[in-house]
Amino acid sequence: MPNLFSDIPAVFPEELMTPLLKCSGVRLERIVSRGQASSPGFWYEQDEGEWVAVLQGAARLEIEA
């Protein structure tokens, strides 16, 4: 993948996830969303840590305190 903004279909019903790198303890993915969101009341629970960078557009993140 030469450019993170290339090869994005015009329409996709769910978030588009493309693996970029996977090695010991690290996974790097490109995630493209066009307004998709979790259902109200749905909570993601995962064992691994996550770091997110929004390169274009906006996002909302809720964290349980």
Side-chain angles (χ1 to χ4, degrees):
M1 177 177 301
N3 183 316
L4 290 174
F5 297 103
S6 66
D7 298 325
I8 299 174
V11 176
F12 47 95
E14 297 180 2
E15 286 183 330
L16 179 65
M17 296 186 185
T18 308
L20 302 175
L21 171 75
K22 186 172 183 177
C23 59
S24 180
V26 176
R27 182 180 74 231
L28 180 63
E29 298 174 321
R30 174 184 79 161
I31 303 173
V32 180
S33 175
R34 290 230 172 97
Q36 291 90 346
S38 304
S39 302
F42 179 81
W43 188 257
Y44 282 99
E45 188 69 39
Q46 62 189 37
D47 293 329
E48 66 240 350
E50 187 169 321
W51 182 84
V52 176
V54 177
L55 301 181
Q56 185 176 12
R60 182 172 36 169
L61 177 66
E62 294 181 29
I63 299 173
E64 185 178 53

